[in-house]
Amino acid sequence: MTILRSPSIRLCAPLSTRLRRTIAGAGFGLLCLSGLAGTQAGAVSSPPPAPKPGATDLLQMAAVPVPRPKAELSEEGKATPYNRSGKLVLRGDQPAKFYFGAMKGPAPLKARSIGSYAKGCLAGGEALPIDGATWQVMRLSRNRNWGHPDLIEFMEDLANDAPKLGWRGLLVGDIAQPRGGPMTSGHASHQIGLDADIWLTEMPDHRLSRQQREDISAISMLKGPLDVKGADRSVDPKKWTDARARLIKRAASDKRVARIFVSPAIKKALCDFEKGKDRSWLRTVRPWWGHHYHFHVRMNCPAGDRSCKDQNPPPPGDGCGKELTWWLSDEPWVPKKPKDPNKKVVKKRPLALAALPKACEDVLTAN
């Protein structure tokens, strides 16, 4: 028996009214059953007639799942969340980055950070201008210079204060996509418009071209690799300066800031830099993987924004004790066993749209 799917229910042999209603009401795939009443024109020839199936057999055949449609392709051959009519089609099982990465502009809604730093989206995003007197935005092709208005205000304040600290100006890395959400590459966080990367490379005394902003690399502050047994996990004194320390201190001292992530080597340099009695700002600076060529600013949730989920406060103290000693030891960095070349690497599934707060669908569809 040959089973063909068609756009509408089409049964090639007479069936009882009750059986037709049973199949249609169950919402099963649509069938053409040839071989029940002879071969129709254009149908594939069937083997000798089999015993006429009962209602149960037909229902089982109808329950064969129909493959779900694949993503549409744009004229450039890239996947797009829009159908051929230009309508956005949302599917909860699809990667959220597939949708948020396609958004070119912000959601025209009241400014809100929705969800948590690594699982959420941004409504009413505002762009940091790509050029200011004391900042320049890098990697313009990514379109990631968007954030909550509170973060944009902080960035401009910090940039304006930079020259007073002996720092000409900021080179700004990734903030967020126009509507936040998971990024197509790179970060797990930066989803709600409250995270920003600031390079530890000083802004030059001239305006960089768009191409230079794509090609220039940030400079690592490390003396050497961290994953070698007994490595000297400290900053390179030829690169690290007190001006960098003053810039990070200024950012960490701002009450709007929840955390600043830096390499453990930079955290150690900051602990040594502070000679005064007030070391409270150091609590905000947290050692983390990477972050040796930029520092990552994370803002507190905006006051009164109930849709935003804050991170728990950092542990008490300046963070310059036992915790930092662990970060600077071999344990976090040097593998205990050599990697097995035959071990299959299981790639982590990207965050699905359904995993984000429901309000993020409204952010995607807002026009």
Side-chain angles (χ1 to χ4, degrees):
M1 180 179 292
T2 302
I3 301 179
L4 304 176
R5 306 194 190 282
S6 66
S8 59
I9 295 179
R10 183 161 56 86
L11 300 170
C12 301
L15 295 175
S16 69
T17 300
R18 180 179 179 183
L19 185 52
R20 285 177 182 273
R21 290 175 177 170
T22 301
I23 294 175
F28 293 125
L30 306 174
L31 316 173
C32 173
L33 305 177
S34 60
L36 296 178
T39 303
Q40 293 197 347
V44 179
S45 299
S46 303
K52 187 173 181 178
T56 301
D57 299 316
L58 288 172
L59 290 174
Q60 288 175 344
M61 289 186 290
V64 176
V66 180
R68 306 194 77 168
K70 295 182 179 179
E72 299 280 353
L73 295 178
S74 67
E75 292 181 0
E76 296 81 17
K78 298 180 180 179
T80 170
Y82 299 92
N83 62 19
R84 298 189 187 280
S85 301
K87 182 180 179 182
L88 184 67
V89 180
L90 301 182
R91 283 179 46 194
D93 62 344
Q94 290 295 299
K97 65 180 181 179
F98 178 63
Y99 295 98
F100 286 95
M103 298 294 111
K104 305 302 181 187
L109 302 168
K110 180 183 177 181
R112 285 196 301 155
S113 292
I114 302 169
S116 59
Y117 300 97
K119 188 182 289 186
C121 59
L122 172 65
E126 181 180 326
L128 177 70
I130 64 173
D131 290 316
T134 51
W135 76 83
Q136 296 181 47
V137 176
M138 306 299 284
R139 306 293 190 263
L140 300 179
S141 62
R142 297 179 180 179
N143 194 25
R144 295 178 179 176
N145 58 313
W146 299 83
H148 189 282
D150 286 5
L151 174 59
I152 301 304
E153 182 181 45
F154 164 82
M155 295 292 287
E156 294 180 351
D157 290 347
L158 179 64
N160 291 335
D161 285 350
K164 306 171 193 174
L165 307 170
W167 194 252
R168 186 181 296 111
L170 310 182
L171 291 181
V172 180
D174 289 346
I175 302 178
Q177 297 172 141
R179 304 190 187 198
M183 291 186 176
T184 53
S185 62
H187 315 275
S189 59
H190 289 253
Q191 294 193 27
I192 57 176
L194 295 176
D195 295 276
D197 290 342
I198 300 172
W199 286 20
L200 288 165
T201 303
E202 189 175 18
M203 187 187 81
D205 60 1
H206 60 279
R207 195 65 63 198
L208 297 171
S209 68
R210 295 185 73 91
Q211 191 57 50
Q212 287 174 321
R213 299 184 199 211
E214 299 296 329
D215 297 339
I216 293 174
S217 297
I219 300 171
S220 172
M221 297 291 109
L222 299 181
K223 184 178 287 187
L226 302 177
D227 58 352
V228 177
K229 190 173 182 179
D232 180 356
R233 299 182 180 92
S234 59
V235 296
D236 186 341
K238 297 178 181 178
K239 301 173 184 175
W240 181 256
T241 61
D242 282 355
R244 290 175 169 84
R246 287 192 292 269
L247 182 68
I248 295 175
K249 178 179 179 178
R250 158 64 181 86
S253 301
D254 196 302
K255 299 302 181 184
R256 294 171 290 183
V257 173
R259 274 175 170 76
I260 290 179
F261 298 103
V262 297
S263 166
I266 293 175
K267 171 71 175 184
K268 178 64 166 62
L270 294 171
C271 291
D272 295 341
F273 164 79
E274 182 53 76
K275 304 300 184 182
K277 293 183 179 180
D278 184 5
R279 299 173 65 86
S280 59
W281 65 273
L282 286 165
R283 179 188 180 192
T284 304
V285 183
R286 312 308 302 174
W288 200 245
W289 315 99
H291 298 87
H292 49 89
Y293 55 88
H294 72 272
F295 64 98
H296 174 163
V297 176
R298 172 166 293 171
M299 305 288 288
N300 289 302
C301 283
D305 190 346
R306 296 184 178 180
S307 59
C308 181
K309 185 178 180 181
D310 263 315
Q311 194 171 356
N312 291 332
D318 61 11
C320 297
K322 292 182 179 179
E323 179 189 3
L324 183 57
T325 300
W326 178 85
W327 276 105
L328 296 172
S329 70
D330 286 348
E331 188 173 350
W333 308 103
V334 181
K336 293 181 175 60
K337 295 180 180 179
K339 292 183 178 180
D340 182 0
N342 299 317
K343 185 177 180 181
K344 186 178 179 181
V345 178
V346 180
K347 295 185 70 175
K348 187 177 180 180
R349 292 175 65 87
L351 196 66
L353 179 60
L356 300 185
K358 187 68 176 176
C360 289
E361 293 187 11
D362 297 331
V363 168
L364 284 172
T365 56
N367 291 311

